[in-house]
Amino acid sequence: MSRTMTMVSIGTGEGGDAKVAASDAARTEVEHHPPFQDPHHPLPSTMNPHGPSAPTIGFVDDNGRPHRASIATDRASSTSISLDNASIQPTKSSGDSSIPPKVKAATHTPPPGLTVIPEILTVEEEEALIREVDARPWSGKGAGLNPELRRRTQQYGYIFSYRLRQVTEDLGELPEIFKPLLERVAHLFPSDEPPDSVIVNEYEVGQGIMPHVDSLKFGPVVISVSLLSPCALHVCRVRKKGEEAESADDHTLALHRRSAVVLSGESRYGYTHGISKDEIDWVDEERLVRSRRISLTIRRIQGYGWTVE
Ligand SMILES: O=C(O)CCC(=O)C(=O)O
Ligand SMILES: [Fe+2]
């Protein structure tokens, strides 16, 4: 089997742009942050760098191919990743995009703690949000904050630096435009920890986000709202090194425009989530054709990695 060059994103990957080039022959050093241990939401041992054995993660490479990476957490300051390409299976078997590709078995039921809420926004609300965000300045692609990002983003509530992998600025109250949506999802957060951060991500056709677990600097609930385009979300259980893959570990879920995906509990901490760069996704027999997609990532920062004095 030929050895592919692969981009890996891990750990804080809320951007998925903090990539590390790796070949499967190499062990690659990536930045590691000690996890915040929330007593109410303890990390599973597979995510705990102090735990007994190393986890593996599943991720999709630039060609949309699924891979496994095993993570050795044998140093305090960094996490080593070695790629195990033995389990590579192409997601596409033919050039005809109207025919579902042969894919590695993935279930289409959500993992524990993950909920998809359809139509969380009306068509008019979606339109208004797009108009509003498009009238505001974008960062990324060489501009603004986080210029290193390949996709464009906007940040509200707090600035999270993808390079430093930490919150660098408190921007104050969230803009009015998000308020109706935030009120609608507030009950999904702990009552004393309402969401205080929104990141707007723009994906052009051909862009995705590497499989990652959101930074532990965010709280126990992560919500992503899809605007304009559907896509498939790949959710993979983080496995201990050597642990056998089980068919129930990999989940591929359809995210339709105006829907929200809620990651909490196990799916928040014990699973990676990512979006391939494919232009067409298949979820079961459903064909999802991508166009420009905007997502709103809604989270809580205060009290986790960042406390306002
Ligand atoms: O675009 C999405 O739905 C996912 C975004 C995401 O995973 C993140 O911002 O951490
Ligand atoms: Fe994420």
Side-chain angles (χ1 to χ4, degrees), residues 82-266:
S82 61
L83 305 183
D84 166 16
N85 277 2
S87 62
I88 289 179
Q89 295 181 29
T91 54
K92 285 182 180 161
S93 58
S94 94
D96 183 348
S97 67
S98 66
I99 300 169
K102 285 196 174 58
V103 291
K104 195 173 66 145
T107 76
H108 305 297
T109 53
L114 187 151
T115 316
V116 176
I117 305 173
E119 301 293 338
I120 195 147
L121 295 168
T122 64
V123 172
E124 294 73 28
E125 286 171 329
E126 179 190 36
E127 276 171 13
L129 279 163
I130 294 297
R131 256 198 319 276
E132 287 275 2
V133 298
D134 272 339
R136 290 161 180 260
W138 291 93
S139 291
K141 286 188 167 176
L145 298 149
N146 293 310
E148 70 280 9
L149 288 184
R150 289 192 198 170
R151 64 173 187 283
R152 299 198 302 171
T153 64
Q154 296 177 14
Q155 301 204 7
Y156 297 100
Y158 293 85
I159 296 292
F160 184 88
S161 162
Y162 291 100
R163 192 173 55 81
L164 302 174
R165 298 181 177 214
Q166 63 183 26
V167 176
T168 54
E169 207 178 327
D170 179 356
L171 298 176
E173 223 189 305
L174 290 167
E176 282 299 313
I177 46 159
F178 298 123
K179 293 275 165 74
L181 176 59
L182 292 172
E183 280 164 20
R184 221 163 282 166
V185 299
H187 70 282
L188 300 165
F189 288 77
S191 57
D192 53 346
E193 295 163 3
D196 59 6
S197 151
V198 176
I199 295 187
V200 183
N201 286 300
E202 179 193 50
Y203 302 88
E204 290 164 6
V205 174
Q207 286 188 308
I209 187 165
M210 294 285 169
H212 63 277
V213 176
D214 277 21
S215 169
L216 303 176
K217 292 178 176 168
F218 298 102
V221 179
V222 173
I223 297 186
S224 172
V225 176
S226 296
L227 306 176
L228 294 179
S229 172
C231 72
L233 185 73
H234 301 285
V235 186
C236 288
R237 190 169 71 83
V238 177
R239 293 194 270 272
K240 289 181 191 165
K241 190 172 185 183
E243 192 183 345
E244 281 294 304
E246 287 177 30
S247 57
D249 286 347
D250 294 341
H251 305 251
T252 299
L253 306 166
L255 301 185
H256 293 282
R257 62 191 289 188
R258 297 186 295 278
S259 72
V261 58
V262 185
L263 304 175
S264 64
E266 266 189 74

Side-chain angles (χ1 to χ4, degrees), residues 37-43 193 220 269 304:
Q37 288 279 6
D38 179 346
H40 304 295
H41 303 277
L43 288 173
E193 295 163 3
Y269 293 114
Y304 290 89

